[in-house]
Amino acid sequence: MALAIFDLDNTLIAGDSDHRWGEFACAEGLVDPTGHAEANYRFLREYQAGTLNIDDYLEFALRPIKGMSLEAVADLQRRFLADWAEAMILPAAEALLQEHRGQGDTLLIITATNTVVTQPIAERLGVPHLIGCDVEVVNGHFTGRPQGIPSFREGKVQRLAAWLRDRSEQ
């Protein structure tokens, strides 16, 4: 049995799920659409240029759910998946995942996108293991802050090493 590790954006899906979530937040009225859309594009350009400050981005990306309950965000996640993310899923990616499943491989997605956005997509793809930027929840409500080491650049390596270490100890 092998470990098959996948990125999410522009790999298993056609596009950037974080950016798409920002568009969704605008369409849902969770944010001021003009200011948020401009910042969303600026952060996307910074990511593509390799100059993104992940802490600044996560503060921005998590702001729309700050103070929301787990249930309210779960409803947003369902709508985002059905109406915005489903169309991004690549048939070739689903076939590749199925091929790995058939070989008995362990499937893992590792992404710099936060888990609010990526967990429903990973579940829809049938990928049981996900490393993404974790989001803080206190008393059943999202704080709007990230939690732990972001899975971005060297953080991906650190998080993967910790995940592998945890699995070997089980």
Side-chain angles (χ1 to χ4, degrees), residues 15 17 38 42 57 67 99-100 102 123 128 132 135 143 169-170:
S17 58
E38 289 172 9
R42 178 176 51 83
Y57 179 70
E99 181 181 326
H100 280 282
E123 289 173 5
V135 182
T143 66
E169 293 172 0
Q170 293 175 355

Side-chain angles (χ1 to χ4, degrees), residues 119-170:
Q119 187 66 49
I121 299 170
E123 289 173 5
R124 160 60 182 83
L125 291 170
V127 177
H129 305 286
L130 171 68
I131 297 172
C133 291
D134 293 322
V135 182
E136 184 180 68
V137 175
V138 174
N139 296 325
H141 289 79
F142 288 89
T143 66
R145 292 187 301 264
Q147 183 175 34
I149 298 169
S151 51
F152 181 68
R153 294 187 181 152
E154 63 277 356
K156 278 188 176 181
V157 175
Q158 293 171 325
R159 297 280 308 275
L160 178 59
W163 186 84
L164 291 168
R165 193 172 40 255
D166 291 345
R167 287 186 58 87
S168 71
E169 293 172 0
Q170 293 175 355

Side-chain angles (χ1 to χ4, degrees), residues 15-145:
D16 186 289
S17 58
D18 240 345
H19 185 75
R20 196 78 169 135
W21 175 266
E23 294 173 332
F24 170 76
C26 290
E28 289 288 313
L30 301 173
V31 294
D32 165 55
T34 303
H36 195 86
E38 289 172 9
N40 199 31
Y41 276 104
R42 178 176 51 83
F43 282 118
L44 179 61
R45 287 190 303 274
E46 290 173 3
Y47 176 76
Q48 292 169 337
T51 61
L52 180 70
N53 178 311
I54 191 63
D55 297 319
D56 291 345
Y57 179 70
L58 287 171
E59 179 185 332
F60 164 79
L62 298 174
R63 194 174 305 137
I65 62 167
K66 183 177 181 176
M68 293 181 115
S69 69
L70 292 169
E71 295 79 15
V73 172
D75 181 57
L76 291 174
Q77 289 172 304
R78 280 188 293 279
R79 292 200 320 263
F80 174 70
L81 179 63
D83 299 339
W84 294 73
E86 182 69 36
M88 298 172 72
I89 295 173
L90 296 167
E94 290 189 286
L96 180 60
L97 291 168
Q98 188 55 38
E99 181 181 326
H100 280 282
R101 267 187 221 96
Q103 295 170 7
D105 295 343
T106 299
L107 303 178
L108 168 71
I109 292 173
I110 186 164
T111 178
T113 302
N114 72 71
T115 55
V116 168
V117 173
T118 57
Q119 187 66 49
I121 299 170
E123 289 173 5
R124 160 60 182 83
L125 291 170
V127 177
H129 305 286
L130 171 68
I131 297 172
C133 291
D134 293 322
V135 182
E136 184 180 68
V137 175
V138 174
N139 296 325
H141 289 79
F142 288 89
T143 66
R145 292 187 301 264

